[in-house]
Amino acid sequence: MEVAVTNTWKSNFASTLTNIPKPKKAAVRIFTVRCSSPVSSDGAATGLAERPWKTSDARLVLEDGSIWRAKSFGATGTQVGEVVFNTSLTGYQEILTDPSYAGQFVLMTNPHIGNTGVNFDDEESRQCFLAGLVIRSLSISTSNWRCTKTLGDYLAERNIMGIYDVDTRAITRRLRQDGSLIGVLSTEDSKTDEELLQMSKSWDIVGVDLISDVSCTSPYEWVDQTNPEWDFNSEGSGEVYHVVAYDFGIKHNILRRLASYGCKITVVPSKWPALETLKLKPDGVLFSNGPGDPSAVPYAVQTVKELLGKVPVFGICMGHQLLGQALGGKTFKMKFGHHGGNHPVRNVRQNRVEISAQNHNYAVDPASLPEGVEVTYINLNDGSCAGLAYPALNIMSLQYHPEASPGPHDSDMVFGEFVDLMKQAKQKA
Ligand SMILES: NC(=O)CC[C@H](N)C(=O)O
């Protein structure tokens, strides 16, 4: 089979690379011509000048047969995953440590990444679960008062592959047109393009339980609140409400926000039985975000079902999708999902627009939900369901990330609404 080769080099980015001479204008022109020619891989047939540096040492091979040559940083090896693009301008460390990205390559559409390095405070989980990072330009300098390490060193230590000097705009346009694609990232010369293509074609993210790999294995208490210096919203309710949080791949900032709103939190693993949760006598249960296909985790849907109506519940992202299924609704895979910190949503109850942080490839089909379930938020980019409520059973959920990290804080007050839901249910009991 014929494999298309995509040249990703753009001469005007040469100045952002380390330890290489800036090409002269004439050399760039020749190089561009040479690279667009399918004639030769070593340049001999064209008779054109050799480049004085190596232009690529990694390949991203997509299932559609396109090959994207790039430079590697972080770990080396070969890795398969689904490629999604994220439109956030900042917050790459939070994105790297969001467990919902397990099984995915995150392509950042913002072209300049790595300039603030990484720090101790911006971790959203205990490790990086994503398949790899795809960026246009890796910052050659790292500067921030909180910085403890460069992005490259951080990824290498965590065994995560990254590539740069790749045309992220072209890949994004392809994903927008054709939908999310499976890809294989490799730094191994011994693997042929055809082998990598076959790998990408024989792997799928649909139907795979990715939650089991990212969830904690035993329950624990969470106490950390948002650093008061950065907290802007929570007043606390005066009373302490006990929340059991199901860890399907939970982001730390969900826990910090709940703690800042005055909750005592017990985090439990994804397979923690509903009965054991009820024994803890919680005032509320949170179903967290998490990676992959909600239809691949029927055990989690069953747990949600067993808790509905017994205790107020709040679902975030994967938790929202599991709630949708537990209520009898259907979830479906979107074309390329929503990943970024700039998604407008309409808060239907308050009739206002909030800018939200999103990261999901699946969505709940609101038409499949039973009577009495309200759509509380709508994504204004595509009209998809961004939040649900079922007041009769004290259920609320959001398809997106009110805890931000990274992203805007417009929807932060939903943590207060969850506290109110617990308060009202307690008063009625
Ligand atoms: N952030 C999340 O919880 C993601 C939910 C789910 N994995 C999806 O992609 O739709």
Side-chain angles (χ1 to χ4, degrees), residues 132-345:
L133 181 65
V134 178
I135 60 175
R136 180 65 190 91
S137 172
L138 178 64
S139 179
I140 55 168
S141 63
T142 295
S143 171
N144 183 266
W145 62 280
R146 295 189 300 154
C147 172
T148 55
K149 203 169 277 180
T150 65
L151 177 59
D153 287 347
Y154 175 82
L155 287 187
E157 269 171 30
R158 288 168 174 237
N159 204 25
I160 300 292
M161 293 174 72
I163 52 169
Y164 67 102
D165 259 8
V166 61
D167 192 343
T168 47
R169 280 200 299 187
I171 299 178
T172 301
R173 288 169 76 102
R174 192 170 287 236
L175 297 175
R176 278 177 58 96
Q177 186 180 304
D178 300 339
S180 307
L181 292 167
I182 304 296
V184 176
L185 184 55
S186 183
T187 56
E188 294 177 288
D189 290 340
S190 59
K191 296 208 167 20
T192 65
D193 293 345
E194 192 59 40
E195 272 171 334
L196 297 177
L197 179 61
Q198 284 318 317
M199 261 180 89
S200 70
K201 285 185 167 176
S202 52
W203 189 83
D204 203 352
I205 199 163
V206 176
V208 183
D209 173 4
L210 293 165
I211 287 178
S212 301
D213 296 335
V214 302
S215 176
C216 61
T217 48
S218 51
Y220 64 94
E221 303 297 316
W222 178 276
V223 289
D224 278 3
Q225 301 187 357
T226 303
N227 181 340
E229 208 182 322
W230 298 336
D231 205 344
F232 50 90
N233 216 2
S234 52
E235 290 148 19
S237 63
E239 272 180 80
V240 175
Y241 294 95
H242 181 204
V243 173
V244 169
Y246 272 82
D247 176 7
F248 298 130
I250 199 161
K251 282 173 67 191
H252 287 171
N253 215 40
I254 294 177
L255 298 168
R256 286 188 213 107
R257 296 312 295 142
L258 280 174
S260 292
Y261 274 91
C263 299
K264 167 184 147 58
I265 305 156
T266 309
V267 185
V268 298
S270 58
K271 291 188 177 150
W272 187 252
L275 209 62
E276 294 302 314
T277 293
L278 293 173
K279 278 189 201 160
L280 295 170
K281 300 202 183 318
D283 297 304
V285 171
L286 178 119
F287 301 115
S288 82
N289 63 295
D293 180 357
S295 300
V297 287
Y299 62 87
V301 178
Q302 184 56 30
T303 306
V304 175
K305 272 187 190 160
E306 288 170 24
L307 290 167
L308 291 188
K310 302 195 175 104
V311 60
V313 298
F314 181 20
I316 294 181
C317 213
M318 175 60 96
H320 157 90
Q321 296 162 2
L322 298 174
L323 269 166
Q325 289 201 6
L327 287 165
K330 288 191 170 58
T331 54
F332 63 93
K333 190 157 196 248
M334 306 170 91
K335 190 171 175 190
F336 48 84
H338 301 147
H339 312 271
N342 49 4
H343 282 254
V345 293

Side-chain angles (χ1 to χ4, degrees), residues 15-63:
S15 58
T16 63
L17 306 179
T18 34
N19 301 327
I20 56 165
K22 198 171 175 180
K24 290 192 190 94
K25 221 177 168 194
V28 171
R29 189 173 51 77
I30 292 167
F31 175 55
T32 308
V33 172
R34 207 189 97 185
C35 278
S36 60
S37 161
V39 176
S40 164
S41 59
D42 60 6
T46 63
L48 298 173
E50 275 302 306
R51 289 176 293 262
W53 61 84
K54 212 173 167 190
T55 55
S56 69
D57 58 5
R59 282 164 294 167
L60 174 65
V61 178
L62 299 182
E63 60 177 320

Side-chain angles (χ1 to χ4, degrees), residues 100 289-292 317-318 321 359-362 401:
S100 297
N289 63 295
C317 213
M318 175 60 96
Q321 296 162 2
N359 170 24
H360 64 110
N361 265 11
Y362 293 83
H401 289 269

